[in-house]
Amino acid sequence: MCIVSVAQQGYLRGMGSARRQQLWWSGVCLVLACMLAIPAAAQECQEVPPQQPSDSFRFESSPEHRSFAESLPDGLIISSITITRYRVFDREDPRENAGIYRWANDFHSLTREWVIREQLLVKEGDYYLATMVRESERVLRDLKFLYDARVRPWRRCGEYVDLEVITRDIWTFTPTVNFKRSGGTNEYSLGFRDTNFLGTGKQVAVRYDSDEERSGTTLIYDDPAVAGSRWRTRLSLTDNDDGHDYRFRLNRPFFSVYERWSAGMRLEDWEREENIWFRGDEVEEFDHQQQSVRFFGGVATERELEKQVGRWLLGYHYENNEFAFSDSEIPPPELPEDREYSFPFIGYQSIEDEYMEIHNLNYLGRTEDLYVGEHYLWNLGYSAEALGATRDQVHFSGRYGNTLRVTDRDLWLVDSEITGFWSTDDAEFENMWLTINSRYHWRQAAKWALFSGIRLDYTDGLTGDNQLTLGGQNGLRGYERNYQVGDRSAVFNIEQRYYSDWHPFRLLRVGYAVFFDVGRAWFEGEDNGSNGGVLSNAGIGIRLNSSRAEKGSVIHIDLAFPFNKDDDVDDVQLLMTVKDRF
């Protein structure tokens, strides 16, 4: 701005007359130059016409905004960031202007503006980088209390650019009344939860859960930005009829692909009754108590490639497992051995900045940020008796994932994970578990898609408290949960999906599926009992995805009909589950 301050005027009065007059006329010329420059700068401004409020509320794509963003070079200076926050229902839409919707808007605590600003990776005065703007948008969309978000430039004046942030809340205060039937067993929950308490982004919850294995009360507090920082914390306290479960986490994650460092800690102390299964029935029960402590951190290296980032990881893990007989009527012949692990570890992670926006894949009618890059992670540690461990072992874990094909019509994703221990004394594995997943999506039309997936599991050296099972809870929907057991399994699923436009009461979006499952869990070279061969089933299902609350939860209601029957297999299975995808 072209001004002469009071201090400057006092400085002028202390000078000689001729020098004062010379500086005075210089100041006048400077002011006049600035006044002439203001219209010229104004003429350089480019603005994108604003969208209609209802279009912004629905996050409809704006070609003008998209082409304007593509025309901007990196390196401009962010002059201002304007934030527009929408409530749950659109009052400009006659279909959502009824009394019940207006009451819901008024009762809802709108997310505070500072909560949104805390999550952005850019601020006023920063250099404009399109990658950071897109990453900020993904960070906002990942928040549990926002349905969707946009971060986009809307005006440029010379070397300055103005950004606008648009968010829409979901209903976050929800009574928890869940009923789930899977594999012939019932589970339910009662309580309440608010994932955006008073609009602050904090989560509080009180819940009572009951299933076939245990029941108990849980208290939860979750803060995604402690004191406005990048640190996050979560506290969970559960008191069950068969034990307890206390967990605390404080960490500063790699909240952005390009973040330079991460650190944190995790504490856990729980006790519960473990169950060993066969043909969907519990055949053994015993108590298991575990305490664990984990400290971890990471530092990002220079980019490996243009969009690929590497991270070195370090940490320490301690874990103690103790077993005892419970008051169950089906105790095991012998208890698993108590064991302790104590090991420092080192690891490396590589991740690619490759995302695509997609609709009608895992959810209905909502923008999804689908990761389509290559990523891998490995960790190695040494659990030694000298550090308090039961025996000398090498701990290993790793993950690998990639997108083998991505077009407008089809998508092929693969991922794998391995974890376990290897004893240096007897050269044997302990709790080694390998999982390989492959998922293929073929979009036949805007609302139609064919999904197929295959999952392979292989284990070696499982301790007595770990078990590989297959049933209604993880792929064979026509059978009870934990129906088959083994040290390896394979399951194939195929679904014809339909993503409808039906939006009843402006609350739920509805999808449908027809599916076929086939799979088996078995021990190599061993008899797995009656009906221990390959199992298969077919069925139909309804998918319900809330457009106003619980955006990451999809309700599955399935009817499955088994083809390979036995005396303990019902003619039809009704499954009601809540999953994080279609």
Side-chain angles (χ1 to χ4, degrees):
M1 297 178 62
C2 300
I3 59 173
V4 180
S5 69
V6 174
Q8 290 171 322
Q9 294 175 24
Y11 174 69
L12 290 173
R13 283 196 296 270
M15 292 185 173
S17 174
R19 179 60 176 163
R20 190 165 60 242
Q21 185 177 16
Q22 181 182 3
L23 290 175
W24 175 261
W25 282 110
S26 297
V28 170
C29 291
L30 180 61
V31 171
L32 290 174
C34 289
M35 294 176 64
L36 292 173
I38 290 174
Q43 292 176 0
E44 295 177 5
C45 290
Q46 300 172 275
E47 289 188 14
V48 181
Q51 283 185 291
Q52 292 295 324
S54 288
D55 293 340
S56 294
F57 181 91
R58 293 190 295 269
F59 297 93
E60 292 187 355
S61 178
S62 168
E64 295 82 7
H65 282 90
R66 188 166 55 251
S67 60
F68 180 69
E70 292 172 352
S71 70
L72 294 181
D74 287 344
L76 301 176
I77 299 174
I78 299 174
S79 177
S80 68
I81 300 177
T82 304
I83 297 179
T84 301
R85 298 160 295 148
Y86 288 108
R87 295 183 182 271
V88 182
F89 295 96
D90 183 11
R91 290 187 174 180
E92 301 296 324
D93 187 339
R95 296 170 296 181
E96 299 182 14
N97 199 26
I100 185 67
Y101 300 133
R102 292 195 300 271
W103 174 85
N105 271 353
D106 294 338
F107 186 77
H108 172 74
S109 296
L110 185 64
T111 301
R112 313 295 178 90
E113 184 173 317
W114 54 266
V115 174
I116 305 299
R117 290 189 182 274
E118 286 175 353
Q119 296 295 322
L120 295 175
L121 305 180
V122 295
K123 60 181 183 297
E124 286 93 342
D126 286 352
Y127 288 113
Y128 172 82
L129 296 172
T131 55
M132 297 300 286
V133 170
R134 289 194 295 268
E135 187 84 359
S136 294
E137 191 172 281
R138 289 196 291 266
V139 169
L140 290 176
R141 268 201 290 264
D142 196 45
L143 295 174
K144 295 180 179 180
F145 47 86
L146 295 182
Y147 179 78
D148 207 338
R150 289 287 183 274
V151 182
R152 60 191 184 187
W154 69 278
R155 180 171 62 186
R156 176 185 179 181
C157 293
E159 296 303 307
Y160 293 89
V161 63
D162 298 301
L163 303 181
E164 63 175 345
V165 178
I166 301 173
T167 65
R168 188 176 113 201
D169 281 12
I170 61 172
W171 183 267
T172 58
F173 180 81
T174 54
T176 304
V177 184
N178 290 333
F179 176 78
K180 174 181 176 182
R181 181 173 176 82
S182 174
T185 63
N186 299 325
E187 304 175 16
Y188 69 90
S189 299
L190 299 173
F192 74 88
R193 178 177 62 177
D194 195 337
T195 56
N196 191 10
F197 184 66
L198 299 178
T200 63
K202 323 301 182 187
Q203 178 185 166
V204 294
V206 178
R207 186 180 70 244
Y208 177 81
D209 300 285
S210 178
D211 58 31
E212 188 174 0
E213 298 179 13
R214 63 188 54 87
S215 58
T217 303
T218 299
L219 304 177
I220 296 175
Y221 174 76
D222 193 309
D223 188 344
V226 179
S229 69
R230 294 294 182 183
W231 288 86
R232 301 175 180 178
T233 189
R234 181 181 176 86
L235 175 65
S236 172
L237 305 173
T238 300
D239 184 21
N240 291 321
D241 57 5
D242 64 346
H244 62 270
D245 191 340
Y246 306 143
R247 300 172 189 256
F248 173 75
R249 185 186 70 232
L250 175 66
N251 69 311
R252 185 186 190 275
F254 288 108
F255 52 85
S256 163
V257 173
Y258 302 105
E259 180 55 26
R260 303 298 302 172
W261 64 278
S262 171
M265 63 176 295
R266 188 181 70 216
L267 309 175
E268 295 184 4
D269 180 354
W270 52 260
E271 181 182 6
R272 67 189 181 205
E273 190 173 65
E274 295 283 9
N275 303 281
I276 302 300
W277 299 83
F278 187 76
R279 292 294 177 270
D281 296 324
E282 299 174 37
V283 294
E284 295 179 13
E285 292 180 338
F286 52 89
D287 285 339
H288 181 187
Q289 186 170 1
Q290 181 187 106
Q291 298 89 28
S292 66
V293 179
R294 189 178 183 91
F295 298 95
F296 51 89
V299 178
T301 64
E302 296 296 326
R303 300 185 191 180
E304 300 172 355
L305 301 172
E306 182 181 356
K307 292 186 176 182
Q308 198 159 9
V309 176
R311 299 164 177 166
W312 283 103
L313 311 172
L314 293 168
Y316 169 77
H317 181 89
Y318 172 80
E319 180 181 316
N320 180 40
N321 295 271
E322 296 181 352
F323 303 92
F325 289 104
S326 66
D327 57 1
S328 171
E329 297 179 355
I330 47 174
E334 60 179 354
L335 290 170
E337 292 185 7
D338 294 346
R339 59 184 187 273
E340 286 184 85
Y341 304 116
S342 178
F343 57 90
F345 63 86
I346 185 172
Y348 187 79
Q349 180 184 38
S350 177
I351 186 169
E352 225 178 341
D353 185 15
E354 286 290 345
Y355 290 84
M356 65 179 295
E357 290 187 10
I358 196 168
H359 291 79
N360 287 343
L361 180 67
N362 295 318
Y363 308 106
L364 292 96
R366 181 166 64 86
T367 304
E368 300 176 45
D369 296 303
L370 183 67
Y371 184 77
V372 293
E374 181 185 34
H375 63 94
Y376 63 84
L377 165 71
W378 58 261
N379 276 304
L380 283 176
Y382 189 68
S383 183
E385 292 184 39
L387 297 175
T390 305
R391 59 181 62 91
D392 293 336
Q393 292 177 304
V394 175
H395 174 262
F396 58 90
S397 65
R399 292 198 303 268
Y400 177 81
N402 202 356
T403 303
L404 301 183
R405 179 175 173 82
V406 54
T407 70
D408 293 338
R409 297 291 300 273
D410 54 355
L411 180 68
W412 185 11
L413 304 169
V414 295
D415 58 79
S416 59
E417 183 173 2
I418 188 171
T419 184
F421 292 86
W422 184 76
S423 174
T424 58
D425 295 331
D426 51 20
E428 291 184 352
F429 286 112
E430 180 178 281
N431 286 330
M432 192 280 289
W433 198 307
L434 170 66
T435 300
I436 300 174
N437 259 307
S438 175
R439 302 184 303 279
Y440 181 75
H441 303 259
W442 175 37
R443 188 172 298 280
Q444 301 143 311
K447 300 178 184 179
W448 291 90
L450 186 69
F451 164 83
S452 63
I454 185 170
R455 190 186 77 248
L456 307 174
D457 286 274
Y458 177 80
T459 68
D460 191 5
L462 292 186
T463 53
D465 54 309
N466 290 303
Q467 189 178 28
L468 186 155
T469 64
L470 184 63
Q473 84 283 10
N474 59 353
L476 286 177
R477 285 165 278 193
Y479 299 85
E480 294 187 18
R481 64 195 301 252
N482 305 317
Y483 185 73
Q484 282 189 336
V485 299
D487 60 8
R488 64 203 67 194
S489 69
V491 61
F492 173 76
N493 312 103
I494 187 168
E495 288 187 357
Q496 177 63 63
R497 297 175 172 179
Y498 178 70
Y499 302 84
S500 79
D501 289 331
W502 190 25
H503 196 188
F505 307 108
R506 314 297 293 172
L507 297 175
L508 294 169
R509 296 192 180 277
V510 183
Y512 306 93
V514 178
F515 57 84
F516 173 77
D517 309 322
V518 58
R520 183 191 180 197
W522 73 100
F523 295 98
E524 183 66 22
E526 295 185 24
D527 181 15
N528 204 18
S530 173
N531 216 21
V534 176
L535 306 178
S536 59
N537 62 257
I540 57 175
I542 298 176
R543 308 291 180 257
L544 304 175
N545 191 194
S546 174
S547 60
R548 310 295 173 174
E550 298 292 340
K551 67 176 184 178
S553 299
V554 181
I555 300 173
H556 289 229
I557 304 174
D558 293 317
L559 281 177
F561 304 90
F563 297 148
N564 308 89
K565 298 180 182 179
D566 204 349
D567 293 339
D568 55 358
V569 177
D570 295 333
D571 292 335
V572 59
Q573 287 281 350
L574 170 64
L575 298 92
M576 300 178 64
T577 57
V578 179
K579 299 184 179 181
D580 60 356
R581 61 181 60 186
F582 192 101

